[in-house]
């Protein structure tokens, strides 16, 4: 019997009142977007384009001055039928807020957050606690999240401040009341990586930024650098919530990878962080997909441009898409892609956004599944999900992908998609408009033309901080698709999902005072929630 299953029966004996029926409502948002990070959040949020024009601000919540909500809010319906918004901040404060009224129902600081002065990183936030978006297990009414905290003088003298004294915990809290689940939090520090025993997981040298993923009983989290300081290396941590077994997989492993036992040494661990501008790790329901930022590479030592097949073992990956699988022998790399023209030291940078696993309606003539990556190099890569492309596997040493689309600017954060009405993907670059690409045809035997430009918004984005496209529909009805994006200055923007004569038609939404960088709006029952540029949680809707 699994741990959680054990707890459920334990509580069942202790209290006949508390049942663990699935309280989830169709309009809930229990993870950041969807499991594939495709950006399509479905048709069950009771939002149609015609009602958007009648939206008004329903309520807002102001937080403490130093709190930042990089973690996106989640929406969940409790056993009582009350829908709540669950928030988590850099001050390690979590809250449940009534989704209809904005009343704060419960609030709790789970652990002291760590001061960012130790990493000269106060531009991100004064203190660092929770940054990655939590994930809810609806079966248990429980939310999981990683919180950065510290133990004074734990490893080195100097109280709380040295990064070496900070650590990460995986918390599990009941959404009704926000109390800890028995035997949680789990500390995740001080253990070696599965694929390189020299590399000890030290939470103080890392930052957990991508939204969490759960596949079955396993919670996955990506870790990258903390303002690029220290001897870090990128890590995926996989925690089985029933067995409490923890796997750690580093992006830079083996004898050819950099290692330093001087924790202050810049890039001493080879870097290769997983940050994705906060976008979640994605999954097809089995394996896990993500991107890796700049760091070492297998071609460093011999400087070759020799092609490398995607499904070969690699110890060291940077500027890459990776697909991993959790097996009885730990985490295994299944496949990877690195652009032929990557610049591993320059932050070129495939790691600046997540990887999207598209809905199965997007398929090639050969019935291949499709995944999409974007990059700071202004390219959008359309991948065969089961053959990501390796390195220089295309003709004449080019990229072995289905299609490469030159977009209008750097992309920080990934794409969104709309699987209905023929199918579209959306990319939102800096200094450029939002752009929609139409899925041409599954029967198109030439993969080169899978997606073609269909329309752009009339106004351009600011240079940076714009959000990842998120798409809703009303029960999947034709004409009901809406693309939502955030802009750090203009706030929340919405467009009809299907462009008209080459233009993405803007919908009127109430003015929000800017938006948190790289944010996404979050959807409940007929309502939209967003963290604005002043750090407030704002609810928009008709009623
Ligand atoms: C936020 O809510 C308060 C009431 O709680 C209201 O006075 C204020 O106008 C709201 N802010 C905005 C920007 O609408
Ligand atoms: C960084 O230094 C610490 C302290 O010696 C060490 O335990 C850890 O394994 C190092 N990490 C990497 C990735 O080199
Ligand atoms: C060097 O090049 C070979 C191919 O010639 C490749 O297999 C290998 O991964 C490269 N890197 C190292 C560290 O040997
Ligand atoms: C590959 O390079 C050769 C020689 O430069 C050229 O003739 C050929 O057209 C190229 N093939 C492709 C698919 O680009
Ligand atoms: C097939 O792809 C080509 C581009 O290679 C495009 O011009 C054409 O419209 C597509 N055909 C269909 C039926 O979508
Ligand atoms: C789109 O363009 C066509 C041809 O110019 C025109 O007939 C049609 O009215 C336009 N549709 C819209 C909605 O502007």
């Amino acid at each position: 019997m699994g741990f959680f299953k054990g707890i459920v029966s334990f509580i069942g004996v202790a209290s006949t009142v508390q049942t663990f029926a699935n309280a989830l409502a169709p309009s809930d948002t229990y993870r950041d977007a969807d499991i594939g990070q495709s950006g399509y959040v479905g048709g069950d949020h009771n939002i149609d384009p015609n009602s958007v024009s009648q939206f008004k601000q329903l309520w807002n919540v102001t937080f403490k001055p130093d709190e930042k909500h990089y973690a996106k809010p989640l929406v969940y319906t409790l056993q009582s039928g009350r829908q709540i918004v669950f928030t988590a901040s850099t001050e390690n404060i979590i809250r449940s807020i009534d989704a209809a009224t904005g009343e704060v129902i419960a609030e709790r600081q789970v652990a002291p957050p760590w001061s960012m002065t130790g990493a000269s990183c106060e531009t991100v936030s004064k203190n660092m606690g929770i940054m990655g978006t939590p994930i809810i297990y609806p079966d248990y009414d429980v939310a999981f999240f990683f919180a950065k905290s510290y133990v004074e003088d734990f490893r080195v003298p100097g109280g709380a401040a040295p990064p070496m004294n900070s650590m990460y915990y995986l918390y599990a809290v009941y959404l009704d009341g926000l109390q800890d689940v028995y035997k949680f939090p789990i500390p995740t520090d001080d253990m070696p990586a599965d694929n390189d025993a020299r590399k000890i997981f030290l939470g103080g040298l890392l930052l957990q930024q991508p939204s969490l993923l759960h596949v079955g009983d396993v919670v996955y989290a990506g870790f990258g650098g903390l303002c690029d300081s220290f001897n870090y290396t990128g890590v995926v941590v996989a925690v089985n919530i029933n067995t409490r077994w923890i796997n750690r997989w580093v992006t830079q492993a083996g004898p050819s990878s950099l290692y330093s036992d001087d924790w202050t040494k810049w890039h001493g661990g080879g870097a290769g962080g997983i940050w994705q501008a906060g976008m979640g790790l994605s999954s097809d329901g089995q394996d896990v997909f993500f991107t890796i930022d700049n760091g070492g590479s297998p071609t460093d030592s011999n400087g070759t441009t020799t092609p490398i097949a995607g499904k070969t073992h690699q110890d060291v990956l940077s500027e890459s898409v990776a697909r991993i699988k959790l097996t009885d022998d730990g985490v295994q790399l299944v496949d990877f892609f690195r652009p032929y023209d990557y610049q591993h030291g320059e932050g070129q940078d495939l790691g600046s956004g997540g990887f999207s696993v598209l809905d199965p309606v997007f398929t090639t003539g050969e019935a291949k599944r499709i995944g999409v990556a974007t990059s700071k190099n202004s390219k959008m890569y359309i991948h065969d999900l089961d053959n990501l492309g390796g390195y220089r596997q295309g003709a004449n040493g080019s990229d072995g992908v289905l299609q490469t689309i030159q977009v209008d600017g750097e992309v920080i954060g990934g794409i969104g998609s709309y699987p209905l009405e023929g199918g579209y993907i959306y990319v939102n670059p800096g200094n450029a408009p939002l752009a929609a690409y139409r899925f041409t045809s599954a029967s198109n035997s030439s993969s080169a033309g899978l997606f073609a430009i269909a329309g752009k918004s009339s106004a351009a984005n600011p240079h940076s901080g714009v959000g990842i496209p998120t798409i809703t529909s009303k029960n999947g009805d034709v004409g009901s698709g809406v693309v939502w994006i955030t802009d750090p200055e203009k706030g929340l923007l919405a467009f009809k999902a299907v462009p008209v004569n080459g233009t993405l038609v803007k919908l009127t939404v109430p003015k929000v005072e800017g938006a948190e960088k790289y944010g996404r709006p979050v959807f409940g029952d007929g309502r939209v929630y967003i963290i604005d540029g002043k750090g407030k949680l704002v609810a928009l809707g008709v009623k």
Side-chain angles (χ1 to χ4, degrees):
M1 181 187 284
F3 172 73
F4 258 94
K5 291 165 193 126
I7 284 300
V8 169
S9 45
F10 167 76
I11 293 171
V13 170
S15 152
T16 49
V17 178
Q18 192 154 13
T19 59
F20 282 80
N22 191 336
L24 185 71
S27 65
D28 289 344
T29 297
Y30 67 94
R31 55 161 42 107
D32 179 11
D34 58 308
I35 188 170
Q37 293 292 291
S38 79
Y40 179 58
V41 298
D44 293 326
H45 296 289
N46 299 316
I47 290 171
D48 74 72
N50 302 324
S51 70
V52 168
S53 63
Q54 294 148 39
F55 272 26
K56 54 185 195 298
Q57 186 176 136
L58 301 175
W59 49 260
N60 63 74
V61 175
T62 305
F63 300 106
K64 297 198 165 81
D66 293 328
E67 276 189 278
K68 291 267 210 173
H69 285 84
Y70 292 110
K72 286 138 205 150
L74 296 175
V75 179
Y76 189 69
T77 300
L78 301 174
Q79 301 286 329
S80 59
R82 194 178 197 184
Q83 194 170 45
I84 62 158
V85 180
F86 175 69
T87 61
S89 77
T90 52
E91 291 292 308
N92 274 338
I93 299 174
I94 57 173
R95 292 180 180 82
S96 62
I97 296 164
D98 188 296
T101 65
E103 176 203 345
V104 177
I105 303 165
E107 172 176 330
R108 184 184 157 214
Q109 186 173 44
V110 296
W114 179 74
S115 167
M116 290 286 264
T117 52
S120 305
C121 214
E122 303 96 314
T123 51
V124 175
S125 57
K126 181 166 178 256
N127 298 311
M128 183 47 70
I130 304 157
M131 192 170 192
T133 302
I135 189 128
I136 292 171
Y137 264 68
D139 289 353
Y140 307 121
D141 284 356
V142 166
F144 291 86
F145 52 88
F146 275 86
K148 193 181 180 90
S149 188
Y150 60 84
V151 178
E152 286 191 25
D153 301 323
F154 181 53
R155 301 187 185 91
V156 293
M164 282 290 271
N165 289 338
S166 82
M167 44 208 298
Y168 264 107
Y169 299 92
L170 176 65
Y171 273 83
V173 299
Y174 291 108
L175 286 159
D176 199 349
L178 303 182
Q179 292 311 301
D180 286 339
V181 173
Y182 178 59
K183 288 197 176 181
F184 281 83
I186 301 176
T188 52
D189 271 50
D190 292 313
M191 293 294 286
D194 300 0
N195 52 340
D196 191 335
R198 300 172 303 168
K199 300 195 172 177
I200 307 299
F201 184 94
L202 292 167
L205 313 181
L206 296 161
L207 185 60
Q208 201 289 301
Q209 189 163 0
S211 307
L212 300 189
L213 167 72
H214 79 70
V215 183
D217 286 343
V218 180
V219 172
Y220 292 89
F223 291 77
L226 197 57
C227 291
D228 222 15
S229 308
F230 316 126
N231 70 333
Y232 79 96
T233 181
V235 195
V236 175
V237 173
V239 185
N240 185 305
I241 57 159
N242 279 318
T243 64
R244 305 167 63 81
W245 187 259
I246 306 177
N247 286 98
R248 298 168 188 78
W249 181 87
V250 286
T251 64
Q252 321 279 308
S256 66
S257 73
L258 289 179
Y259 169 77
S260 172
D261 57 16
D262 173 4
W263 62 270
T264 67
K265 190 171 163 57
W266 184 84
H267 279 203
I274 303 165
W275 77 287
Q276 307 194 143
M279 186 161 157
L281 307 184
S282 58
S283 176
D284 60 351
Q286 301 268 320
D287 295 352
V288 179
F289 298 80
F290 53 91
T291 68
I292 302 171
D293 202 355
N294 56 308
S297 88
T299 49
D300 276 358
S301 47
N302 52 15
T304 77
T305 51
T306 310
I308 306 173
K311 290 178 184 161
T312 51
H313 174 81
Q314 301 296 316
D315 275 336
V316 178
L317 284 174
S318 67
E319 297 293 311
S320 298
V321 176
R323 173 180 183 171
I324 59 169
K325 180 187 278 302
L326 184 58
T327 72
D328 292 343
D329 298 324
V331 171
Q332 307 287 333
L333 180 70
V334 175
D335 196 2
F336 83 100
F337 165 73
R338 182 169 49 241
Y340 78 91
D341 55 351
Y342 82 104
Q343 297 167 32
H344 65 87
E346 323 256 322
Q348 168 80 0
D349 169 349
L350 208 56
S352 64
F355 182 82
S356 296
V357 175
L358 297 189
D359 184 279
V361 306
F362 296 98
T363 180
T364 68
E366 303 83 28
K368 291 172 180 163
R369 304 188 295 168
I370 294 177
V372 184
T374 48
S375 170
K376 269 198 204 162
N377 69 3
S378 305
K379 288 178 187 170
M380 178 159 69
Y381 300 102
I382 312 297
H383 299 268
D384 172 352
L385 193 66
D386 298 298
N387 193 1
L388 292 175
Y391 176 57
R392 292 179 173 262
Q393 296 292 295
N396 288 355
S398 62
D399 290 332
V401 297
L402 298 177
Q403 186 181 7
T404 304
I405 298 170
Q406 190 71 42
V407 301
D408 295 337
E410 288 189 348
V411 183
I412 303 183
I415 64 119
S417 67
Y418 181 47
L420 310 176
E421 303 189 57
Y424 291 83
I425 56 176
Y426 307 87
V427 65
N428 196 33
N431 279 339
L434 171 71
Y437 294 80
R438 191 174 59 86
F439 181 56
T440 57
S441 170
S443 61
N444 213 331
S445 59
S446 131
S447 294
L450 277 173
F451 290 93
I453 184 71
K456 295 182 183 180
S457 63
S458 42
N461 288 317
H463 171 69
S464 70
V466 292
I468 304 164
T470 310
I471 296 85
T472 55
S473 75
K474 174 91 188 295
N475 302 324
D477 294 347
V478 170
S480 72
V482 178
V483 188
W484 305 80
I485 55 170
T486 58
D487 178 315
E489 289 141 33
K490 293 184 195 144
L492 182 65
L493 304 176
F495 301 84
K496 291 194 132 195
V498 177
V500 179
N501 285 353
T503 301
L504 277 161
V505 180
K506 198 159 178 282
L507 297 168
T508 303
V509 286
K511 174 99 180 126
V512 173
E513 294 180 282
E516 189 52 86
K517 276 170 95 175
Y518 317 126
R520 267 191 205 272
V522 176
F523 302 90
D525 187 4
R527 302 189 194 95
V528 184
Y529 305 93
I530 178 176
I531 303 293
D532 76 6
K534 304 263 197 279
K536 297 194 304 291
L537 172 66
V538 176
L540 306 174
V542 176
K543 54 170 175 50

